[in-house]
PDB file of all heavy atoms in Angstrom:
ATOM      1  N   LEU A1066     104.556 127.217  99.828  1.00 92.00           N
ATOM      2  CA  LEU A1066     104.495 128.320  98.951  1.00 92.00           C
ATOM      3  C   LEU A1066     105.814 128.457  98.037  1.00 92.00           C
ATOM      4  O   LEU A1066     105.885 128.733  97.021  1.00 92.00           O
ATOM      5  CB  LEU A1066     104.109 129.631  99.614  1.00 92.00           C
ATOM      6  CG  LEU A1066     102.737 129.749 100.229  1.00 92.00           C
ATOM      7  CD1 LEU A1066     102.570 130.972 101.089  1.00 92.00           C
ATOM      8  CD2 LEU A1066     101.717 129.545  99.128  1.00 92.00           C
ATOM      9  N   THR A1067     106.951 128.115  98.762  1.00 89.00           N
ATOM     10  CA  THR A1067     108.174 128.156  98.132  1.00 89.00           C
ATOM     11  C   THR A1067     108.285 127.153  96.976  1.00 89.00           C
ATOM     12  O   THR A1067     108.751 127.282  95.883  1.00 89.00           O
ATOM     13  CB  THR A1067     109.361 127.767  99.135  1.00 89.00           C
ATOM     14  OG1 THR A1067     109.429 128.896 100.065  1.00 89.00           O
ATOM     15  CG2 THR A1067     110.637 127.769  98.291  1.00 89.00           C
ATOM     16  N   SER A1068     107.699 125.915  97.358  1.00 89.00           N
ATOM     17  CA  SER A1068     107.656 124.845  96.295  1.00 89.00           C
ATOM     18  C   SER A1068     106.770 125.276  95.031  1.00 89.00           C
ATOM     19  O   SER A1068     107.184 125.058  93.929  1.00 89.00           O
ATOM     20  CB  SER A1068     106.933 123.552  96.864  1.00 89.00           C
ATOM     21  OG  SER A1068     106.645 122.698  95.913  1.00 89.00           O
ATOM     22  N   LEU A1069     105.597 126.002  95.420  1.00 92.00           N
ATOM     23  CA  LEU A1069     104.737 126.438  94.272  1.00 92.00           C
ATOM     24  C   LEU A1069     105.480 127.453  93.399  1.00 92.00           C
ATOM     25  O   LEU A1069     105.293 127.295  92.230  1.00 92.00           O
ATOM     26  CB  LEU A1069     103.447 127.014  94.870  1.00 92.00           C
ATOM     27  CG  LEU A1069     102.448 127.559  93.964  1.00 92.00           C
ATOM     28  CD1 LEU A1069     101.954 126.533  93.124  1.00 92.00           C
ATOM     29  CD2 LEU A1069     101.223 128.202  94.731  1.00 92.00           C
ATOM     30  N   ILE A1070     106.150 128.415  94.081  1.00 90.00           N
ATOM     31  CA  ILE A1070     106.839 129.420  93.257  1.00 90.00           C
ATOM     32  C   ILE A1070     107.944 128.805  92.431  1.00 90.00           C
ATOM     33  O   ILE A1070     107.979 129.093  91.237  1.00 90.00           O
ATOM     34  CB  ILE A1070     107.302 130.508  94.044  1.00 90.00           C
ATOM     35  CG1 ILE A1070     106.198 131.293  94.763  1.00 90.00           C
ATOM     36  CG2 ILE A1070     108.222 131.518  93.373  1.00 90.00           C
ATOM     37  CD1 ILE A1070     106.686 132.304  95.859  1.00 90.00           C
ATOM     38  N   ALA A1071     108.710 127.974  93.051  1.00 89.00           N
ATOM     39  CA  ALA A1071     109.899 127.483  92.280  1.00 89.00           C
ATOM     40  C   ALA A1071     109.384 126.370  91.192  1.00 89.00           C
ATOM     41  O   ALA A1071     109.925 126.506  90.135  1.00 89.00           O
ATOM     42  CB  ALA A1071     110.660 126.493  93.328  1.00 89.00           C
ATOM     43  N   ASN A1072     108.323 125.756  91.471  1.00 91.00           N
ATOM     44  CA  ASN A1072     107.821 124.827  90.405  1.00 91.00           C
ATOM     45  C   ASN A1072     107.224 125.685  89.165  1.00 91.00           C
ATOM     46  O   ASN A1072     107.317 125.211  88.032  1.00 91.00           O
ATOM     47  CB  ASN A1072     106.784 123.869  90.888  1.00 91.00           C
ATOM     48  CG  ASN A1072     107.460 122.681  91.565  1.00 91.00           C
ATOM     49  OD1 ASN A1072     108.036 121.803  90.845  1.00 91.00           O
ATOM     50  ND2 ASN A1072     107.248 122.504  92.871  1.00 91.00           N
ATOM     51  N   LEU A1073     106.522 126.693  89.532  1.00 92.00           N
ATOM     52  CA  LEU A1073     105.966 127.600  88.427  1.00 92.00           C
ATOM     53  C   LEU A1073     107.121 128.248  87.599  1.00 92.00           C
ATOM     54  O   LEU A1073     106.879 128.316  86.370  1.00 92.00           O
ATOM     55  CB  LEU A1073     105.084 128.670  89.049  1.00 92.00           C
ATOM     56  CG  LEU A1073     103.756 128.283  89.632  1.00 92.00           C
ATOM     57  CD1 LEU A1073     103.028 129.432  90.327  1.00 92.00           C
ATOM     58  CD2 LEU A1073     102.908 127.612  88.615  1.00 92.00           C
ATOM     59  N   ILE A1074     108.196 128.527  88.216  1.00 90.00           N
ATOM     60  CA  ILE A1074     109.344 129.038  87.362  1.00 90.00           C
ATOM     61  C   ILE A1074     109.902 127.967  86.511  1.00 90.00           C
ATOM     62  O   ILE A1074     110.171 128.148  85.388  1.00 90.00           O
ATOM     63  CB  ILE A1074     110.518 129.634  88.388  1.00 90.00           C
ATOM     64  CG1 ILE A1074     109.987 130.802  89.154  1.00 90.00           C
ATOM     65  CG2 ILE A1074     111.778 129.894  87.527  1.00 90.00           C
ATOM     66  CD1 ILE A1074     110.912 131.293  90.183  1.00 90.00           C
ATOM     67  N   SER A1075     109.997 126.721  87.100  1.00 90.00           N
ATOM     68  CA  SER A1075     110.563 125.548  86.280  1.00 90.00           C
ATOM     69  C   SER A1075     109.514 125.308  85.092  1.00 90.00           C
ATOM     70  O   SER A1075     109.911 125.122  83.987  1.00 90.00           O
ATOM     71  CB  SER A1075     110.641 124.337  87.116  1.00 90.00           C
ATOM     72  OG  SER A1075     111.646 124.540  88.124  1.00 90.00           O
ATOM     73  N   LEU A1076     108.230 125.425  85.374  1.00 94.00           N
ATOM     74  CA  LEU A1076     107.213 124.999  84.277  1.00 94.00           C
ATOM     75  C   LEU A1076     107.366 126.122  83.210  1.00 94.00           C
ATOM     76  O   LEU A1076     107.211 125.739  82.021  1.00 94.00           O
ATOM     77  CB  LEU A1076     105.888 125.203  84.812  1.00 94.00           C
ATOM     78  CG  LEU A1076     105.340 123.977  85.796  1.00 94.00           C
ATOM     79  CD1 LEU A1076     104.177 124.259  86.495  1.00 94.00           C
ATOM     80  CD2 LEU A1076     105.361 122.685  84.871  1.00 94.00           C
ATOM     81  N   VAL A1077     107.612 127.379  83.538  1.00 94.00           N
ATOM     82  CA  VAL A1077     107.800 128.470  82.458  1.00 94.00           C
ATOM     83  C   VAL A1077     108.974 128.182  81.708  1.00 94.00           C
ATOM     84  O   VAL A1077     108.904 128.264  80.479  1.00 94.00           O
ATOM     85  CB  VAL A1077     107.884 129.883  83.238  1.00 94.00           C
ATOM     86  CG1 VAL A1077     108.183 130.976  82.247  1.00 94.00           C
ATOM     87  CG2 VAL A1077     106.481 130.240  83.885  1.00 94.00           C
ATOM     88  N   VAL A1078     109.940 127.764  82.291  1.00 92.00           N
ATOM     89  CA  VAL A1078     111.306 127.410  81.530  1.00 92.00           C
ATOM     90  C   VAL A1078     111.125 126.277  80.597  1.00 92.00           C
ATOM     91  O   VAL A1078     111.520 126.358  79.387  1.00 92.00           O
ATOM     92  CB  VAL A1078     112.445 127.054  82.508  1.00 92.00           C
ATOM     93  CG1 VAL A1078     113.688 126.605  81.717  1.00 92.00           C
ATOM     94  CG2 VAL A1078     112.800 128.204  83.462  1.00 92.00           C
ATOM     95  N   VAL A1079     110.287 125.314  80.989  1.00 94.00           N
ATOM     96  CA  VAL A1079     109.970 124.200  80.068  1.00 94.00           C
ATOM     97  C   VAL A1079     109.194 124.511  78.878  1.00 94.00           C
ATOM     98  O   VAL A1079     109.348 124.078  77.787  1.00 94.00           O
ATOM     99  CB  VAL A1079     109.349 122.940  80.960  1.00 94.00           C
ATOM    100  CG1 VAL A1079     108.794 121.873  80.019  1.00 94.00           C
ATOM    101  CG2 VAL A1079     110.346 122.349  81.986  1.00 94.00           C
ATOM    102  N   VAL A1080     108.170 125.369  79.195  1.00 95.00           N
ATOM    103  CA  VAL A1080     107.242 125.792  78.141  1.00 95.00           C
ATOM    104  C   VAL A1080     108.008 126.719  77.077  1.00 95.00           C
ATOM    105  O   VAL A1080     107.826 126.524  75.849  1.00 95.00           O
ATOM    106  CB  VAL A1080     106.168 126.533  78.813  1.00 95.00           C
ATOM    107  CG1 VAL A1080     105.300 127.355  77.549  1.00 95.00           C
ATOM    108  CG2 VAL A1080     105.172 125.743  79.501  1.00 95.00           C
TER     109      VAL A1080
END
Side-chain angles (χ1 to χ4, degrees):
L1066 294 176
T1067 299
S1068 171
L1069 180 60
I1070 293 169
N1072 276 293
L1073 288 176
I1074 294 171
S1075 297
L1076 288 169
V1077 170
V1078 171
V1079 170
V1080 170

